[in-house]
Amino acid sequence: SLSIGIPNKVVSLPMLTVKYKNFDSDEVAKKILGKGYSKEIFNNDGLKKEIFKGNGGELIIENNKRLAYKNKGNRERVRIPNEEAAAKIANDFLKQHKLMKDDIIPDRIYHETGEYAEDGPAYKLVYNQTYKDKFLGQSYIHVYVNHSGVVAVEAMLLECEKIQQPHKKVIPATEALMGIMNTILQENKQPISINEIEIGYYFSPARYADWKEVDSGTAIPSWKITIQNGKTYYIEAYKN
């Protein structure tokens, strides 16, 4: 079933040359952990892992591309009566630590059932990156919030280097949906509800190699289809 309307506007879009955002690891550590942190560096099979610890937190940055933070300290309990309160805590954290930019937008919020929910309600907030008001995937910030406030953050971001000409018409949303529907039905329990269909840009490092070995590539106009359980499918929007 459809819980939203299907977009029917025909648009023309270019491909984008994108690269992974290169985090300045010491600068990020200073913003998130404060002064006086420890630092270890490990190199293994093309993966450079920097581990920072301080003020009850641990920050791991891999190849300057992927960021993972965990708050392991004892903090005052905060009251989180609803999703709006969790979103405010997450937004304030990202702004305070300079991770919230103009092209980062809140997308979805989930009730978390994993390790962060062992002692009360917890939420996972998903933030997506955009380019000219269209999603730019696969990039993300995930923020986990419980009664201790922000307990974890994960991020990988992209930067647009140039627009590849020419603009080309994309296939209709209905065509993209029909093309992926069998896969959706096979991979998910029924009944299935389509919660979101939108056009944007999708860069998959798997087209080239492992993300550890890829610095840049092409983001292709794609339809993003999200179903009720949060699973997302990307369908290339150019005709073959």
Side-chain angles (χ1 to χ4, degrees):
S1 68
L2 288 168
S3 58
I4 42 85
I6 297 180
N8 55 19
K9 187 178 178 181
V10 177
V11 297
S12 295
L13 295 174
M15 292 191 288
L16 306 177
T17 301
V18 296
K19 66 176 182 178
Y20 279 114
K21 176 179 174 59
N22 218 278
F23 289 109
D24 182 325
S25 54
D26 283 286
E27 190 66 27
V28 175
K30 195 183 301 178
K31 288 173 182 173
I32 294 180
L33 302 177
K35 295 179 180 178
Y37 55 79
S38 65
K39 177 180 180 180
E40 294 180 282
I41 302 176
F42 301 92
N43 287 282
N44 185 33
D45 289 335
L47 179 67
K48 175 187 176 186
K49 181 183 285 190
E50 297 173 275
I51 302 176
F52 302 84
K53 295 180 181 179
N55 291 322
E58 178 183 82
L59 174 69
I60 298 175
I61 297 181
E62 296 175 310
N63 281 15
N64 295 98
K65 300 175 192 173
R66 187 158 73 178
L67 176 157
Y69 163 74
K70 283 192 176 183
N71 167 25
K72 298 188 173 184
N74 293 317
R75 297 178 57 182
E76 282 186 36
R77 292 177 71 95
V78 295
R79 186 167 173 270
I80 310 175
N82 50 39
E83 294 181 356
E84 289 76 15
K88 184 178 188 311
I89 290 169
N91 289 343
D92 289 348
F93 180 92
L94 294 180
K95 289 173 184 174
Q96 179 187 348
H97 297 97
K98 307 291 190 294
L99 291 171
M100 181 69 96
K101 306 294 184 183
D102 290 341
D103 63 346
I104 304 292
I105 60 169
D107 183 49
R108 294 189 295 279
I109 181 167
Y110 300 102
H111 286 267
E112 178 67 13
T113 57
E115 61 177 302
Y116 305 122
E118 291 175 353
D119 191 26
Y123 299 90
K124 176 183 178 181
L125 294 97
V126 177
Y127 294 77
N128 284 343
Q129 199 171 3
T130 63
Y131 175 77
K132 292 191 175 180
D133 298 325
K134 291 181 171 53
F135 75 81
L136 179 60
Q138 199 170 17
S139 56
Y140 59 84
I141 299 179
H142 297 160
V143 183
Y144 299 84
V145 175
N146 67 13
H147 62 79
S148 295
V150 171
V151 288
V153 177
E154 303 158 346
M156 282 187 83
L157 299 174
L158 295 168
E159 296 176 344
C160 180
E161 290 194 293
K162 69 176 182 178
I163 297 170
Q164 298 182 20
Q165 300 298 340
H167 288 53
K168 292 168 64 177
K169 280 186 180 179
V170 302
I171 62 173
T174 49
E175 186 175 331
L177 185 58
M178 289 171 61
I180 198 67
M181 205 62 219
N182 279 342
T183 301
I184 293 175
L185 291 171
Q186 290 168 9
E187 293 182 354
N188 300 278
K189 290 182 180 179
Q190 299 189 36
I192 291 168
S193 174
I194 306 296
N195 285 11
E196 183 180 46
I197 304 176
E198 63 174 317
I199 191 71
Y201 300 94
Y202 183 64
F203 166 66
S204 173
R207 293 170 66 99
Y208 304 90
D210 190 282
W211 69 268
K212 297 189 291 290
E213 302 165 7
V214 177
D215 289 320
S216 62
T218 299
I220 298 170
S222 301
W223 285 102
K224 180 170 78 169
I225 297 174
T226 306
I227 63 176
Q228 81 281 357
N229 61 9
K231 196 166 184 179
T232 299
Y233 294 85
Y234 295 92
I235 301 94
E236 187 173 326
Y238 284 157
K239 282 188 180 293
N240 292 327

